[in-house]
Every structure is written in C-alpha cells, then in structure tokens.
Amino acid sequence: MFELLDMVPEVHLYDYFDPAYLGFTILTMMLVGTAITYNNRYSNKKSSYFLLAALFLALSDVNFFIAFYLDMPVFYYPDRFLHIFSLGLIILFWIKPLEFNYIEGVDTEV
C-alpha cells in the first residue's frame, strides 16, 4: 500500500491524495475482509460469488492504479476485464436464491 503510494509521480499528487488513497485502500481491505468472513460463515455458492467479486474488484483497483498513476496503459485491459467479471459475480450473488436445509423441521441456512 505504501510502496504504491511512494511510486506515484509528482504530476498526479494533489493536497488530499494521500488520505484519499489510504481511505480507499482501507475500505477495499474491509470489503475483502467482510467477504472472507461472509464466506467462512455461510460457505455456499452465494457467499463464494461475493468473495470472488470482492477479490476481483480489489484486483481491478490495483490494475487501474498501475495503469493511471504509473502511466502503464496496458493495465487498463485487465482492469476492465476484472471489473466486468466482478459485476457479473455481484449480479449472480444478488439473484441466487437462499438455500435451506430441512433438518427435523428447522430451517437452517446453508
């Protein structure tokens, strides 16, 4: 996180760049942590879709950072691919119905 911040050229730096970058990075880490916790708790296909979507969004953000701030335009391609793929996974997470187990008449989520 700090290594990428140190690599940004002076052209792209502005007054609030450091706090904005650090805040966005912390929010991304919280999203991935929440997705991992959700997947560990429910351990079904729906939680796997959310976990993969969060990971692909984080990777997409890293690729965008490298493409834009480090002036390597070839990284725009994986950025867009990962972003579109993660949006598809979010849609699958959204439309996947909840699965229930019927054990002795008690509804428990799988």
Side-chain angles (χ1 to χ4, degrees):
M1 174 168 78
F2 293 110
E3 291 296 322
L4 283 175
L5 187 59
D6 291 337
M7 293 168 52
V8 176
E10 294 290 326
V11 175
H12 295 295
L13 294 178
Y14 52 89
D15 293 339
Y16 299 107
F17 181 79
D18 290 351
Y21 168 74
L22 294 174
F24 183 71
T25 305
I26 289 169
L27 285 174
T28 303
M29 286 191 282
M30 287 173 52
L31 172 67
V32 171
T34 303
I36 290 171
T37 303
Y38 182 77
N39 189 31
N40 287 340
R41 183 172 183 176
Y42 294 109
S43 189
N44 59 10
K45 276 189 181 180
K46 187 172 181 172
S47 65
S48 298
Y49 294 150
F50 182 60
L51 175 63
L52 288 174
L55 291 174
F56 288 149
L57 279 174
L59 287 174
S60 171
D61 291 338
V62 170
N63 281 312
F64 177 77
F65 183 88
I66 293 171
F68 184 77
Y69 290 111
L70 303 182
D71 296 324
M72 297 181 187
V74 73
F75 281 91
Y76 282 119
Y77 296 111
D79 166 48
R80 291 299 155 211
F81 173 75
L82 290 169
H83 197 82
I84 290 169
F85 195 62
S86 65
L87 290 177
L89 287 167
I90 288 172
I91 290 172
L92 282 175
F93 169 75
W94 180 51
I95 63 173
K96 178 90 172 119
L98 292 176
E99 299 168 0
F100 293 100
N101 273 346
Y102 295 103
I103 302 173
E104 298 178 19
V106 177
D107 291 339
T108 57
E109 190 173 336
V110 175

